[in-house]
């Protein structure tokens, strides 16, 4: 009978020890959110893009080439004539972890974000078109990369 009691006590101690090893975390689970640092980096990317556009088409095309995601650099990419003005609606900035660039099977390295933008095409300082859509950017090693709007 003492054997049964000892086994019962050992079983209770083992059960108690196992439940104490659980991985409970205090708090309420929430989805991952964009941080202020990431938001500032993305804002800076669009500011730089628009600043380069105000200096001219070649400056903006250089910036677009320099900020093209390193895994998706296309040697044959012909950038559009004129310049672009991109106005992001930063309140729509969100993570997009399942996105892949059109025609690609692989997810880009880094943290993929998407934001609603108003894209205006300018030629010789005159607006020739405007469109509202979404633009993806990627944060990789502390830098924002995009996907240049190629015409080919």
């Amino acid at each position: 009978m003492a054997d049964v009691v000892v086994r019962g006590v050992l079983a209770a101690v083992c059960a108690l020890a196992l439940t104490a090893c659980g991985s409970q975390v205090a708090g309420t689970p929430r989805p991952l959110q964009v941080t202020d640092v990431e938001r500032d980096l993305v804002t800076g990317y669009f500011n730089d893009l628009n600043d380069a556009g105000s200096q001219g088409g070649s400056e903006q095309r250089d910036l677009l080439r320099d900020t093209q995601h390193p895994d998706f650099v296309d040697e044959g990419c012909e950038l559009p004539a004129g310049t672009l003005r991109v106005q992001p609606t930063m309140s729509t900035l969100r993570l997009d972890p399942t996105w892949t660039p059109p025609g690609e099977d692989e997810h880009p390295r880094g943290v993929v974000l998407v934001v609603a933008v108003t894209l205006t095409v300018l030629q010789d300082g005159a607006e020739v078109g405007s469109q509202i859509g979404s633009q993806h950017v990627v944060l990789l090693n502390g830098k924002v990369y995009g996907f240049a709007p190629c015409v080919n």
Side-chain angles (χ1 to χ4, degrees):
M1 184 68 148
D3 224 13
V4 173
V5 172
V6 170
R7 285 187 194 154
V9 170
L10 284 175
V13 169
C14 285
L16 189 60
L18 288 174
T19 59
C21 293
S23 61
Q24 293 182 351
V25 177
T28 305
R30 293 191 180 111
L32 292 175
Q33 294 182 342
V34 178
T35 67
D36 290 339
V37 170
E38 293 165 334
R39 188 174 304 281
D40 289 345
L41 287 170
V42 172
T43 298
Y45 169 81
F46 287 112
N47 288 340
D48 291 347
L49 182 62
N50 291 327
D51 289 346
S54 68
Q55 295 173 25
S58 63
E59 288 84 354
Q60 191 173 53
R61 285 188 287 282
D62 288 345
L63 179 73
L64 285 168
R65 280 188 197 95
D66 291 345
T67 60
Q68 179 76 5
H69 192 286
D71 295 344
F72 298 92
V73 175
D74 184 6
E75 298 287 328
C77 177
E78 182 182 330
L79 296 171
T83 59
L84 305 171
R85 183 174 56 229
V86 184
Q87 295 304 125
T89 303
M90 293 304 290
S91 62
T92 67
L93 184 67
R94 66 189 184 286
L95 297 166
D96 195 356
T98 61
W99 180 79
T100 57
E104 299 290 334
D105 295 330
E106 292 187 33
H107 183 276
R109 285 183 300 139
V111 177
V112 177
L113 301 161
V114 63
V115 64
V117 297
T118 301
L119 177 72
T120 304
V121 178
L122 303 148
Q123 288 183 343
D124 298 323
E127 291 186 18
V128 294
S130 189
Q131 181 176 335
I132 296 173
S134 296
Q135 186 162 349
H136 285 87
V137 295
V138 176
L139 297 172
L140 179 63
N141 299 325
K143 184 175 177 182
V144 178
Y145 293 96
F147 300 88
C150 300
V151 294
N152 54 349

